[in-house]
Amino acid sequence: MAEPDSVGLEEIAGWVRAARSVVVLTGAGISTESGIPDFRGPQGVWTKDPKAEKLSNLHYYMTDPEVRVASWQARLVHPAWTAEPNAGHRALAELEGKGHLEVLVTQNIDGLHQKAGSSPDRVIEIHGTVREVVCMACGERAPMERALDRVRAGEADPPCRSCGGILKSATIAFGQQLDPATLRRAVAAAQTADLLLAVGTSLSVHPAAGLVEIAARTGARVVIVNASPTPYDALADAVLRDPIGTVLPELVTAA
Ligand SMILES: [Zn+2]
C-alpha cells in the first residue's frame, strides 16, 4: 500500500466514484475559512480562555444566572449569524448533488452545511446547533432567532414560554451528554460507509475519532483532509494537508 500522504487527488476521486456510501465527517477546520473560530482545538477559544469555557459548561449554566445572562449576550454576537459558507461547504453540497454523499456528520454547530445547500436530512450535527434553543426542563425546541429577539427586547435570561424552564442553545455543552439518537445515526452511517472522508477535524475528541475507527474496522477506506497531523493518519488510506477550500472543490470536480 502507498504511504497515505503520497496518494494523489485523481486516485481518491476514483475511490469516491466507486464508493456506494461516502460518509463525510467535518470539524472546525472547514468553518475557520468562514470566520468561525475553533472553540475546542489546541488553539481554541475555550482552550485558551477558561472563563469562556465556563460559559459553555452545563453545570455553571444551570446553576448560575449570571452565566446564563453572559451566554445570551455571547449568542447575540455569535459569528454564525453573519458567516457565509465557503468553497469547502459548497463542494460537499455539490458532492451530494452528484449523488456521491450519503451522510454528512459534523462537529460544527454553525449550520453552514445546510446554508451551503446540503440536505438537512443528510446532515447529522453531533454537537447540536446554535440555530435552535431547547428547554432544559420540558425539551421543547424553538428557533434561536425568536429567543434572541426576546433578549434584544430586554429579557436578560428568557425562560421557556411553555413551562418557565431554563432555555439553552441546542448545542452540546461541556458536561453534557451527546444525544443518544443522534449518536446512533452517526455510528450507523460510519458502519455502512465504504469511504469515510474526514475534513478539518483533529480527530482528538470522541465520538468523531471513534467514527473513523468504526468505519476503518468495517472495511471503509479512510481519507483525511486536515492541515495538521491527526492520531489516525497512519490508519488512513490517504492524507491531504492542503487548504480545505482549495482541495475539496478539486476533489469534487474530479469525482
Ligand atoms: Zn419548557
Side-chain angles (χ1 to χ4, degrees), residues 134-140 159-167:
V134 63
C135 172
M136 300 307 284
C138 74
E140 190 172 277
C160 172
R161 282 203 161 132
S162 297
C163 79
I166 292 173
L167 287 185

Side-chain angles (χ1 to χ4, degrees), residues 58 61 75 132-134 136 166-171 173 176:
L58 186 66
Y61 190 86
R75 286 172 194 139
E132 286 183 337
V133 294
V134 63
M136 300 307 284
I166 292 173
L167 287 185
K168 183 186 153 302
S169 67
T171 54
Q176 189 174 8

